[in-house]
Amino acid sequence: MPAISASAPGKVILFGEHAVVYGQPAIAVPISQLRARAIVKAEPRADANQVRVQAPDIGLDADLTSLARDHPLRVAISGVRSALNIDLIPACTVRVSSNIPVSSGLGSSAAVSVAVIRAVTTFLGRPLSEDRVADLAFEVEKIHHGTPSGIDNTVVSFERPVYFELGRPPEALKIARPITIVIADSGIPSPTATTVAEVRRAWQADPTPFERLFGEIGSLVRKARAAIEGGAVDQLGLLMDSNHDLLKDLGVSSEFLDQLTDAARASGALGAKLSGGGRGGNVIGLVAPHLSESVIQSLHTAGAKSTYLTTISPTES
Ligand code: PMV
């Protein structure tokens, strides 16, 4: 049997992180050049039902059953077994690789889960729909994030721009005109679970100002949606700047992330914000394509570890 391969993209959140955990909408887009891949190969000579998992990037080469019960790969593969109602998986090797920086708000954990779930279900001859893959990946996200909204696993599984609100089916976002963004990785790993938990504690201690901030972020996301769907890309810059300010008020920015967003704006970005959990991770800048090189240079000079240029292409729906 030939090896089965599946992949899934990274993502960035354009607007609405953190507030989305509290029921506000958010907008996320896939980043197709950053990908996680899983390859499943049958091992007819191995012991029956022995599943070996390999992730050379992190030095992992182990039997699935030797991993902790809450190891993300074990949870992903057990989720597949329960979803398909099967007890045992025929002997195989599941090999995982990814060029998505980890703990950077670029969706690496969701992309690995989605790639593994797709590859294993296809290997078993029972591929699942995008929304069922997203649901299974959500179970893994709970380990990484504590109380995830579900936006990461959704955008990564659907691989198209989404307007996401907790408890509602994700909506495909219409992109009327191309949107070019520079993504800069601060190189500072920042587990999303930490900032999400901090915001939760702060909200519990003093709900009113936090609920006001969540509401302001939500109304800004609705404006961003109208601008994106109406082709008014120039309006998005100011909205990004405002979103960054509100994230600062939530307490999830840092001096370095502020320096990076300032550097992006000073070199020509129309707007910039942190993206994802914050504190470390990445910032994004909206750029006119002819200024992208200058913004990239300036972000590197300001200390960004790596940058990615991506254009979100127009969609039909
Ligand atoms: O995975 P990250 O760092 O892009 O963060 C996800 C966005 C949050 O809103 C901070 C958390 C969530 O689950 O929505």
Side-chain angles (χ1 to χ4, degrees), residues 74-91:
R74 188 158 176 187
V75 175
I77 295 171
S78 305
V80 166
R81 283 191 8 239
S82 327
L84 300 182
N85 207 11
I86 52 173
D87 284 340
L88 295 164
I89 294 178

Side-chain angles (χ1 to χ4, degrees), residues 11 13 17-18 20-21 105 145 147-152 192 196 276-277:
K11 68 96 208 0
I13 296 182
E17 51 275 273
H18 284 289
V20 69
V21 176
H145 282 197
T147 54
S149 63
I151 190 168
D152 281 18
T192 303
V196 168

Side-chain angles (χ1 to χ4, degrees), residues 25-58:
I27 293 172
V29 295
I31 306 296
S32 295
Q33 75 254 42
L34 296 176
R35 297 196 84 81
R37 184 171 298 281
I39 298 174
V40 184
K41 200 162 127 283
E43 300 289 0
R45 279 193 289 274
D47 293 347
N49 312 120
Q50 182 190 44
V51 177
R52 187 121 197 119
V53 282
Q54 299 176 333
D57 303 345
I58 54 165

